[in-house]
Amino acid sequence: MLTPRQLFLRHQAQTSDSPLLLEIERAEGVYMYGPDGRRYLDLISGIGVSNVGHRHPKVIQAIQHQLDKYLHLMVYGELVQAPPAELAHALTQTLPAHLDAVYFTNSGTEAVEGALKLAKRHTGRMELISCHRAYHGSTHGALSVTGSEGFKRSYRPLLPDVRHIEFNDFSDLQHITERTAAVIIETVQGEAGVRVPENNYLQALRKRCLYTGTLLILDEIQCGFGRTGSFWAFEQFGIWPDILLCAKGMGGGMPIGAFIAPQSIMAGLRSNPVLGHCTTFGGHPVSCAASLATLRVILEENLLAGVAEKAARFRHQLVHPAIRDVRGQGLLMAVEFDSYDVLKPIIDRALEHEGILTDWFLFCDNSLRLAPPLTITDGEIDEACAALLRAINYVTGH
């Protein structure tokens, strides 16, 4: 009989020539466990997914409760089902009053696709603007507004009429005009290496969009659901979106995403044509039950209150001659080194010898990603930092 590793390599489609090949049998809290019982501390939360930790008991309970009722029943938006309806209501309660209509998807990239269509439908315009080094997903529309030519070159032609601007560059805002349907932007840039808006940049962007009648789409697929210390990252910058995107951390480990907009904008998908946007599995009842439980855990267990302090604990300990900078917003952080050639052996050493799972960023490969579950304890932070410093010392000889 073939082992899971052999089956993985023989039959499962690969995304690179060097998969991590770490075999995991179970997970709990901030830890994952291999078949041999070896423990790994997860410092990246499945790339921003396990915000409340792996297998949070209340999320598991909600999933089990829904499993006893029903699974998929009908394509999205036809039948009244309590899980998506209650989740939609709960989400709107965390948002400004105008964001009162939620369209559920299966993933973040699907949320992007729906939002781009909605912006074009509502404005009647064609042009889309996004940022250099932005990451919005891998499907054709989402890839079109992703800001890296290296990721797009092999798949052209993509969507026409897409322009890229520099994040935090005020002069580039002039490119937003009356022909721009939407600007799609990460509230905090993730794959660029955690770039935070500076000097009221988002306020200037919001003002420019209002002036030109352009919709502002905030992508909080990675930085939402408490990751930065507020439930939504945009709350910290005194602005609001016309369309909001979420996924990753909203499912507690289950696949789900959403785009959220005012009813007046979302209504454009109802007619001319009917079913202007459609999905079979969007709003799946089990995923929605898990997401509602996740939302409640974040709020009821007051996880937001500890984010800033935990981030500061990482910053205080991650001091080393090889570390050039520690950037971040809440528990979305980047630890910068001189180069990928320095960073990659540190990541490998941390995993193989210290049991610490980390990563780098797609468009910033000299920076180590830190995005642990919001539930991580002070003791677990201390354990992780000590292990990372040992790995850095070993690789750099300091």
Side-chain angles (χ1 to χ4, degrees), residues 103-117 136 184 217 221 243-247 256-260 277:
Y103 195 113
F104 291 114
T105 64
N106 303 288
S107 66
T109 193
E110 291 178 57
V112 172
E113 295 288 347
L116 297 181
K117 287 175 61 179
H136 297 292
I184 179 170
I217 303 172
I221 290 168
I243 305 175
L244 177 66
L245 310 180
C246 52
I256 188 171
F259 57 101
I260 306 171
H277 196 65

Side-chain angles (χ1 to χ4, degrees), residues 115-137:
L116 297 181
K117 287 175 61 179
L118 182 61
K120 288 183 174 182
R121 176 72 175 84
H122 181 74
T123 63
R125 303 174 182 180
M126 293 288 292
E127 184 181 65
L128 299 167
I129 291 180
S130 62
C131 289
H132 294 292
R133 294 170 296 283
Y135 183 77
H136 297 292

